[in-house]
Amino acid sequence: MSAPDAETSALLEKALAEGLELIGKARDAPSLEDARVRSLGRKASLARARSSLGRMPEVQRRSLGAIATSVQRRLEEAYRSRKEAFDALNLEKRWQEERIDVTLPGENPPVGGLHPLTKTIWEIVDIFIGMGYRVAEGPEVELASYNFDALNTPYEHPSRSPSDTYYMDGQDENVLLRPHTSPVQIRAMETQEPPVYIVCPGRTYRRDEIDATHMNTFAQIEGLAVDEGVTMADLKGTLGKFARTLFGKDLDVRLRPSFFPFTEPSAEMDVECFVCRGNGCRVCKQEGWIELLGCGMVDPFVLEWVGYDVEKYSGFAFGLGAERAASLAHGVSDLRYFYENDIRFLQTFRGVS
Ligand code: DAH
């Protein structure tokens, strides 16, 4: 063997020994990569030995070339098996880190819910549906004739004044934002013959100063029952059942004489104060009772307006504020809470039906 041969062959042996040692010593993926570059890279002993082969005669080049190739294979093999071991280790580590225990309770994403007012309206509507009523709706922009004339409201009635009601057509005062849901009664009766049993939830508007008990935009629920032989006893029984379903079975209700142009006789229904049970407290302003709704026997004038036979049919009607009902049902002292959209307030009703 000539001197350059011996030198190259020693270089190859050294490349193999050093390379195997470097690869064997690697403790993780980065140090293994470093070992690969140093033993198999362009500047490694192996590469240097290979480049010296080019200057050798054919015979030596072949025999040393074969050795160089086998050194390279062994180093590559050592590298690959190490790499596989690290990859497996890494995979194992990822399995540990990313393991999902499907039996653990999940994180609850925030869930929206129905607005407390909507819930109360649905609850009230449901009670009447349970008694055989159906839902009727009407427009929020209403004709004065349906809102006042058909409901027997005299021209001089204060509710007709633009300081009470929003008119849409200025001085003409024929078109308005309805201040109550009562015109829905007229629209419903116009389209059908008795028997009529309807509840009419809807938005209403009044030119009111906003405070704890008044809103200029609010919601009402109207009710109407017209049939043969309907009496005040039906009114009392129906509304009593309704109030007790909404507020609790053992709460007393009472009817108090009142006045509405479209009912005769007219009454206001009070519920026994659910806080003091009639003794008088702050919530009921020492009255022992809380006013819930207006009602009465439908004035024959109204039935005649829609062309019903007043000899044959009679009816009762009622109307209540949804905000008032909701605040009584949930002990909310200020109606404005329902419209401020403060999530802290609204969240307290999650799950409350
Ligand atoms: N519309 C009345 C109001 O807004 C409430 C009302 C009272 C409706 C008596 C009725 C009723 O149907 O019979 O104050």
Side-chain angles (χ1 to χ4, degrees), residues 87-309:
D87 284 351
L89 213 67
N90 196 27
L91 197 66
E92 181 60 26
K93 202 167 138 226
R94 278 186 56 200
W95 270 110
Q96 292 298 337
E97 280 171 3
E98 297 173 21
R99 187 167 65 181
I100 295 170
D101 182 348
V102 292
T103 64
L104 284 175
E107 273 176 37
N108 286 340
V111 182
L114 286 177
H115 191 280
L117 259 184
T118 307
K119 280 188 179 173
T120 303
I121 292 171
W122 286 12
E123 212 180 323
I124 292 171
V125 165
D126 256 6
I127 295 171
F128 283 99
I129 285 181
M131 292 194 268
Y133 286 63
R134 60 173 194 85
V135 175
E137 285 177 309
E140 290 175 26
V141 176
E142 184 54 282
L143 296 172
S145 55
Y146 281 93
N147 190 76
F148 293 126
D149 303 342
L151 289 161
N152 195 29
T153 312
Y155 281 105
E156 64 282 4
H157 197 280
S159 66
R160 291 209 187 225
S161 151
S163 61
D164 274 26
T165 293
Y166 294 106
Y167 284 95
M168 308 291 286
D169 55 349
Q171 304 283 304
D172 290 346
E173 297 183 7
N174 288 324
V175 185
L176 45 76
L177 281 177
R178 65 178 181 194
H180 57 176
T181 42
S182 303
V184 186
Q185 291 184 22
I186 307 299
R187 290 182 174 275
M189 287 193 284
E190 264 189 348
T191 57
Q192 71 177 106
E193 282 297 307
V196 178
Y197 290 91
I198 53 167
V199 265
C200 324
R203 184 145 287 182
T204 44
Y205 306 85
R206 277 181 205 179
R207 208 181 273 279
D208 256 334
E209 285 293 330
I210 294 173
D211 61 27
T213 54
H214 295 88
M215 300 294 299
N216 62 7
T217 302
F218 55 108
Q220 282 195 340
I221 301 163
E222 189 83 11
L224 173 72
V226 182
D227 208 339
E228 287 182 47
V230 173
T231 70
M232 195 86 183
D234 298 310
L235 178 155
K236 196 169 181 206
T238 306
L239 296 182
K241 165 128 174 75
F242 154 66
R244 279 188 291 270
T245 313
L246 192 63
F247 298 116
K249 282 195 177 26
D250 47 351
L251 278 185
D252 218 355
V253 294
R254 73 173 184 190
L255 288 176
R256 217 167 8 91
S258 184
F259 174 80
F260 298 102
F262 33 90
T263 44
E264 184 59 38
S266 304
E268 220 107 29
M269 197 172 93
D270 299 336
V271 193
E272 193 186 5
C273 177
F274 54 89
V275 177
C276 66
R277 294 289 169 132
N279 293 328
C281 69
R282 248 186 35 204
V283 170
C284 61
K285 301 197 184 82
Q286 309 306 326
E287 291 283 324
W289 298 88
I290 295 171
E291 184 187 312
L292 178 62
L293 53 79
C295 58
M297 299 306 290
V298 181
D299 195 303
F301 176 95
V302 175
L303 297 178
E304 265 172 1
W305 178 281
V306 295
Y308 282 1
D309 181 350

Side-chain angles (χ1 to χ4, degrees), residues 338-351:
F338 289 118
Y339 288 95
E340 281 170 350
N341 273 343
D342 185 332
I343 201 83
R344 293 166 301 180
F345 170 75
L346 297 175
Q347 267 174 344
T348 61
F349 292 89
R350 221 180 355 197

